Amino acid sequence: MWSLTALSAILLASLATASPLDKRETIEECLTSSGVPYDTKNGNDWNQDVAPFNRRLPFTPAAIAVPKTTEHVRLAVACATKLGLKVSPKGGGHSYASYGLGGENGHLVVELDRMNKITVDQTTYIASVEAGSRLGHVLTELNKQGKRAISHGTCPGVGVAGHALHGGFGFSSHSKGLAVDWIVGATVVLANATVVNCSSTENPDLLWALKGAGSSYGIVTTFFFKTFAAPSQTTSFTANLNWNNVQNTVKGWTALQEYTANTMPAEMNMRVFGNAYSTQLQGLYHGNSSQLQAAIQPLMSSLGTSLSSRQTDWIGGFTAYSNGQTVDVSHPYNIQETFFSKSLTTTALNNTAMTSAVNYWLSTAKSTSRDWYIIIDMHGGKNSYISSVPKNESSYAHRDALFLYEFYDRVYSGSYPSNGFSFLNGWVNAFTSKLDASQWGMYINYADPTMSRKEAQDVYYRGNLGRLQSIKAAMDPEEVFYFPQAIEPVK
Ligand SMILES: Cc1cc2nc3c(=O)[nH]c(=O)nc-3n(C[C@H](O)[C@H](O)[C@H](O)COP(=O)(O)OP(=O)(O)OC[C@H]3O[C@@H](n4cnc5c(N)ncnc54)[C@H](O)[C@@H]3O)c2cc1C
Ligand SMILES: *[C@@H]1O[C@H](CO)[C@@H](O)[C@H](O)[C@H]1NC(C)=O
Ligand SMILES: *[C@@H]1O[C@H](CO)[C@@H](O)[C@H](O)[C@H]1NC(C)=O
Ligand SMILES: *[C@@H]1O[C@H](CO)[C@@H](O)[C@H](O)[C@H]1NC(C)=O
Ligand SMILES: *[C@@H]1O[C@H](CO)[C@@H](O)[C@H](O)[C@H]1NC(C)=O
Ligand SMILES: *[C@@H]1O[C@H](CO)[C@@H](O)[C@H](O)[C@H]1NC(C)=O
């Protein structure tokens, strides 16, 4: 006679070799007996939670747990490791590579967006933020609870978790840094299904790894953010750029580069936004409109353009760039696009590199019928908060970059064309072929899953990769938290 434990050992052993998608019933049984809520396959919640922001990259999880507490998350991780399943936390689901779904089929997805409680301590002004909160909700609650703020990006539906764990750039970043720069601690469920806190004094290596490469180390259930007093006045502005030939563009960009590197005051935040139809300087000044005018005048005369501006408050500064979307958004969230995107970070460009990039922009990009855009963020420079943060504070690897770029190409119907990739690859190559490796990198928050794992880890993490890999080897040697570009455990 087989004993019950021997039978279940055999069952578990055969399950470990079964394909992950075949483990749905057993993982659901484990979640049920542990009291962890999960979505019924193909039910309304399942269909909602499995819908990726990037429609180009759908994946089918083995199961979707929908925890309400840290203990639920811990129990869900325990179920997955018992069955040999990979685990992927999903925050706002905005990964360009659908890494919140694992970036491949068969993961246990831990959907966090029902966990979105936010409390600001009224003595320390430290905010405790549940990890399923989206940026618009964080903005709203921090403002309500004492007019506080952290720095972050522009889209209300982006999850604070994926965003802050890998950087988080927006219209306050030159003034106030990346979202990651406001993290002071976190409660985390580790690969061995234990819960720990980390801070500068408790598990500091884990905190360092989370601050830039968080998705490879555990599931953050609560963030602790220090906050700043939100500026009461902000002024949003745009200026049209007459960048219609190579000479104008190189001249204008060179002036902008010089301003960003040396003159741009801390209160100024801006980017260049270009598409097939126009090229604009867009910004948000932390201050009133007359202060903005004084600060930007030197640049306006060298660019030969003029400003259109609107003075507003802190929330108004956010809605100036959030495309009319609902600000305080939680669940459900329904926006999707079909696209391919790439990122780049560079130091200041010399004439060779800038001319190469501009040639591609004005000849190749301007002459296709594709729906593309490029964003050039003013990331670094003498007065940038991002550049002022010590390099060893976080695993975010691009403190020296003057510019952060996003390249985006989308379709409005049908699937993304297979010949689409070469268009953006060519554009990035127009820069990198004229740069040394020490002068550029890439940003995992605009993940490009067409890169190999090795190349991705290198360009995302550069000099920090070695330390990240040994922390991974110590904390998650079996790669429970895996996606195709996750940090590899290397001793
Ligand atoms: C419309 C749009 C606008 C954007 N705007 C900006 C912008 O202005 N600035 C900017 O810097 N970026 C921007 N991004 C990029 C965005 O910051 C990243 O895609 C970010 O990673 C999304 O986080 P998420 O939680 O929504 O995504 P998810 O897909 O849920 O997660 C992204 C990654 O983080 C991991 N993760 C999620 N939650 C946790 C957790 N609790 N613990 C550990 N790991 C976790 C996931 O497993 C996955 O690997 C934008 C993206 C979109 C789609
Ligand atoms: C983590 O910190 C929070 C807030 O201080 C505390 O409530 C919790 O008990 C801590 N958890 C662990 C595992 O130390
Ligand atoms: C802007 O602020 C400055 C300094 O406080 C003040 O002198 C100026 O009058 C203000 N301008 C406007 C338009 O509010
Ligand atoms: C960074 O380095 C400085 C100087 O060596 C040190 O004092 C500090 O503790 C380090 N910070 C971290 C987070 O490792
Ligand atoms: C620009 O930098 C690249 C890479 O270092 C170099 O090959 C090129 O000669 C430089 N061009 C100019 C004009 O300095
Ligand atoms: C879980 O992993 C952490 C990090 O590697 C380790 O410090 C801890 O001892 C482990 N706990 C158990 C119960 O194995």
Side-chain angles (χ1 to χ4, degrees), residues 192-231:
N192 61 8
T194 58
V195 183
V196 296
N197 282 325
C198 60
S199 68
S200 60
T201 51
E202 192 178 3
N203 300 307
D205 276 3
L206 174 61
L207 182 69
W208 177 85
L210 287 178
K211 288 174 67 173
S215 44
S216 291
Y217 295 89
I219 304 184
V220 173
T221 57
T222 302
F223 288 95
F224 300 96
F225 287 107
K226 61 183 179 178
T227 59
F228 57 86

Side-chain angles (χ1 to χ4, degrees), residues 53 89-96 99-100 112 131 153-155 158-159 161-163 165-166 168-169 214-215 218-220 443 445-446 483:
F53 182 86
K90 178 167 170 269
H94 278 60
S95 165
Y96 285 10
Y99 287 153
L112 293 163
T154 56
C155 177
V158 164
H163 190 68
L165 290 173
H166 306 100
F169 184 96
S215 44
I219 304 184
V220 173
Y443 178 44
N445 264 346
Y446 304 143
F483 55 95

Side-chain angles (χ1 to χ4, degrees), residues 437-455:
S438 64
Q439 298 174 298
W440 66 276
M442 291 189 186
Y443 178 44
I444 191 174
N445 264 346
Y446 304 143
D448 169 7
T450 69
M451 285 190 291
S452 73
R453 187 179 193 184
K454 187 171 185 302
E455 182 184 3

Side-chain angles (χ1 to χ4, degrees), residues 278-362:
S278 69
T279 308
Q280 271 197 334
L281 188 66
Q282 306 178 331
L284 186 73
Y285 185 79
H286 290 191
N288 70 28
S289 57
S290 39
Q291 292 164 322
L292 164 66
Q293 290 294 345
I296 205 157
Q297 203 42 54
L299 179 64
M300 289 298 100
S301 16
S302 56
L303 291 179
T305 181
S306 58
L307 278 191
S308 151
S309 73
R310 195 173 71 88
Q311 192 177 309
T312 176
D313 58 10
W314 177 244
I315 303 278
F318 179 79
T319 54
Y321 291 103
S322 60
N323 294 325
Q325 292 171 31
T326 308
V327 174
D328 192 355
V329 59
S330 52
H331 175 88
Y333 179 86
N334 293 313
I335 301 174
Q336 290 181 286
E337 294 192 353
T338 303
F339 66 99
F340 175 55
S341 177
K342 289 183 80 73
S343 69
L344 185 66
T345 62
T346 72
T347 55
L349 301 176
N350 71 14
N351 198 264
T352 310
M354 195 183 284
T355 303
S356 168
V358 168
N359 270 326
Y360 197 93
W361 187 345
L362 296 183

Side-chain angles (χ1 to χ4, degrees), residues 111-124:
E111 168 66 67
L112 293 163
D113 79 351
R114 296 358 173 239
M115 290 176 65
N116 63 3
K117 216 167 42 246
I118 296 175
T119 313
V120 182
D121 183 295
Q122 294 300 312
T123 310
T124 60

Side-chain angles (χ1 to χ4, degrees), residues 2-13:
W2 293 101
S3 74
L4 209 57
T5 43
L7 266 179
S8 59
I10 289 170
L11 189 66
L12 278 175

Side-chain angles (χ1 to χ4, degrees), residues 17 122 157 162 249 273 276 299 336 350 400 421-422 434 450:
T17 55
Q122 294 300 312
T249 307
F273 180 93
L299 179 64
Q336 290 181 286
N350 71 14
D400 284 341
F421 302 98
S422 59
K434 308 293 182 201
T450 69

